[in-house]
Amino acid sequence: MAKILTGGVGRTEVARTVGGLGIAGLDVAVCNDMDAAVLLRSGQADFFLGTCHTGAGASLGVLVGLLGRPACHTFGRGEPTEEEVAGLLAQGKTVFGFSLDRIDTVAPRLARAIAAARA
């Protein structure tokens, strides 16, 4: 089971998108940045998907500051390939940021990759 927290401007839409995929073994919850950092640090959550208008700053600002750059990656307004996402997970990234206009493509790609990595 992987617990995914969603935050930022599009947190509800990301949770709905990931939850709507019906992937077994994923638990998705909406969360604010500060609570997410505490839950991730304590092992009560595994991943964070954050969104903002550009996908670069506000989507991860608090988490970069509290968890460190090595745990975080932002796609900005880009759309990563499945291979890129798998590589980032293999590197130990657990916190991801992306822009609101990429929720429909990036959130499912991340969710599927997380499920595959946990299988």
Side-chain angles (χ1 to χ4, degrees):
M1 176 69 72
K3 175 120 182 159
I4 299 173
L5 304 175
T6 66
V9 179
R11 63 187 168 268
T12 303
E13 187 177 346
V14 172
R16 187 174 26 249
T17 298
V18 172
L21 296 171
I23 299 173
L26 295 184
D27 179 26
V28 184
V30 174
C31 195
N32 67 55
D33 296 359
M34 292 299 290
D35 289 343
V38 170
L39 293 169
L40 288 162
R41 282 181 127 174
S42 67
Q44 296 177 58
D46 304 297
F47 298 94
F48 179 82
L49 309 182
T51 53
C52 69
H53 293 284
T54 65
S59 64
L60 300 181
V62 169
L63 289 144
V64 168
L66 295 176
L67 299 177
R69 172 70 56 199
C72 305
H73 180 81
T74 182
F75 298 110
R77 296 198 65 233
E79 293 189 23
T81 64
E82 291 177 16
E83 294 78 18
E84 182 181 0
V85 173
L88 292 166
L89 290 171
Q91 292 172 26
K93 303 288 185 187
T94 57
V95 177
F96 298 94
F98 50 97
S99 65
L100 290 171
D101 62 346
R102 301 293 189 248
I103 290 173
D104 290 343
T105 56
V106 176
R109 190 160 290 156
L110 283 165
R112 289 184 184 108
I114 289 167
R118 290 294 179 109

